[in-house]
Amino acid sequence: MDQDLHCTAERELLEAVSRITTSSTTSPSDEEENQPKAEMSRQGRKENPEKDDTQDSSATLSPNSSMTTKELQEYWRNEKRRCKQVKLLFEIPSTRIVEHHLTKYVMYKIIILQTGSFDSNKSVIERRYSDFEKLHRNLLEEFSEEMEDVTFPKKTLTGNFTEEIINERKLAFKDYLRFLYSMKYIRRSKKFIDFLTRPELQEAYGCLRGGQYTKALEILLEVIGLQERLTRGNPVSVVPTLCAIVVCHKDLENPASAFEYGEKALSRLCVHTSHRYYIPLLETMITLAYELGKDFLSLQEKLEEWKTKKDPIRVFTLKELAVREYVQ
């Protein structure tokens, strides 16, 4: 069954590539195995600001590591998950026309799901033509060689809201996303990931800053699954979102849920103790553990150990850090 699904996904992806490119017929597997010159020329380039964290997280743990057995087990479980290749499919099943004051535009509903198994946690987002256009422009700046054969639906002076044009763009944007995802450097780039997650995260953090913790939590729980799939090779990058979820649960007086997500965040920082969220998260976890009657002494020991190794500096609280995310 899984093999049939895999074959179907591959056929769909190959059809998408042939439609959206003018001359390229290279499949995702060929493109990565052969590693074209455009990729080779970028081996020395940082794909995003978190890449150093990615490299660090794959390093062998020091025999002097102070992690507990439970933390070590969680760490290696995460490492094992990272080794599994996750493939995503993009579907655009519907659209809606939005009229706001003097502005009128089409919103495209994008469903993102994992191939190879029944995906009960599919992600649903909406983007308009100008969002796709901005993504294309940004990617051209960084990946000009990879993008040289990619066609993008052009604007038309009239007929943008006809059923025919909308349906053509639905197919074009679906193929466009699949083609971008087929290229390793692009699917791992911050610009591509931001296109799929940043608007929702900005809304969530805006709600958090406004004290709308229930609404913020609802959005954050929706986006965290997609974030984790897109950044499977860089688990540290989801720490701010996990910590924002901790803050929301804590302020909504759900300490058990806050502690659960705090543990997930800590497991991603076990070899990144210099991360800006590490100490604020530890302090919050100590408070939650004490409130829940859990072991807080081991967390306290980690905090004291960190303080003896580092020079005293001003550390924000977890909530203070969270409200500073995505401030424009």
Side-chain angles (χ1 to χ4, degrees), residues 96-323:
R96 63 187 179 94
I97 296 176
V98 178
E99 295 190 55
H100 184 67
H101 298 304
L102 300 177
T103 306
K104 184 178 179 181
Y105 53 88
V106 179
M107 292 294 289
Y108 296 84
K109 181 180 180 180
I110 306 168
I111 297 178
I112 306 159
L113 61 157
Q114 184 175 327
T115 63
S117 62
F118 177 73
D119 190 357
S120 60
N121 296 316
K122 61 186 179 185
S123 300
V124 181
I125 60 175
E126 283 189 315
R127 297 293 183 267
R128 54 189 290 189
Y129 181 94
S130 59
D131 296 323
F132 282 97
E133 190 176 40
K134 181 180 178 181
L135 170 66
H136 189 70
R137 188 168 57 250
N138 288 339
L139 291 177
L140 282 174
E141 292 176 359
E142 187 174 355
F143 303 101
S144 57
E145 293 178 70
E146 289 91 340
M147 299 286 291
E148 63 183 357
D149 292 326
V150 181
T151 57
F152 188 82
K154 295 181 179 180
K155 283 185 177 180
T156 58
L157 295 176
T158 59
N160 286 303
F161 302 101
T162 63
E163 185 177 354
E164 181 182 1
I165 293 296
I166 290 174
N167 286 333
E168 285 179 4
R169 286 182 176 175
K170 276 170 55 179
L171 290 172
F173 284 143
K174 181 177 75 170
D175 293 344
Y176 179 73
L177 289 174
R178 290 184 176 189
F179 184 63
L180 294 182
Y181 185 77
S182 73
M183 293 185 284
K184 180 173 63 175
Y185 278 108
I186 290 181
R187 71 168 172 263
R188 292 179 180 177
S189 71
K190 186 176 185 300
K191 292 175 181 178
F192 182 67
I193 294 170
D194 278 353
F195 168 79
L196 296 170
T197 60
R198 190 177 180 89
E200 286 71 25
L201 287 171
Q202 286 178 321
E203 182 184 0
Y205 279 98
C207 292
L208 192 157
R209 284 189 288 273
Q212 298 174 281
Y213 301 115
T214 301
K215 180 64 175 175
L217 183 60
E218 178 185 336
I219 301 171
L220 290 167
L221 291 175
E222 284 285 334
V223 77
I224 186 65
L226 178 57
Q227 253 194 313
E228 289 178 325
R229 292 173 184 181
L230 291 168
T231 61
R232 184 62 63 99
N234 184 13
V236 176
S237 63
V238 301
V239 166
T241 306
L242 288 171
C243 288
I245 293 174
V246 172
V247 169
C248 289
H249 274 306
K250 189 172 184 295
D251 278 40
L252 289 170
E253 299 182 355
N254 300 324
S257 296
F259 191 83
E260 175 189 348
Y261 280 92
E263 284 190 313
K264 291 179 180 180
L266 269 183
S267 71
R268 288 160 171 78
L269 295 179
C270 55
V271 292
H272 301 279
T273 57
S274 60
H275 195 281
R276 70 187 190 281
Y277 270 89
Y278 182 69
I279 293 306
L281 178 59
L282 262 185
E283 292 174 337
T284 300
M285 291 294 284
I286 291 169
T287 301
L288 290 169
Y290 182 80
E291 183 179 348
L292 294 167
K294 296 180 178 289
D295 172 33
F296 64 90
L297 292 178
S298 59
L299 296 170
Q300 187 70 47
E301 288 174 0
K302 290 180 184 295
L303 181 61
E304 296 302 324
E305 179 185 0
W306 185 91
K307 287 181 177 179
T308 60
K309 293 180 179 179
K310 304 287 184 179
D311 294 329
I313 56 174
R314 184 191 173 193
V315 177
F316 292 110
T317 66
L318 196 66
K319 189 172 183 177
E320 286 173 337
L321 276 180
V323 299

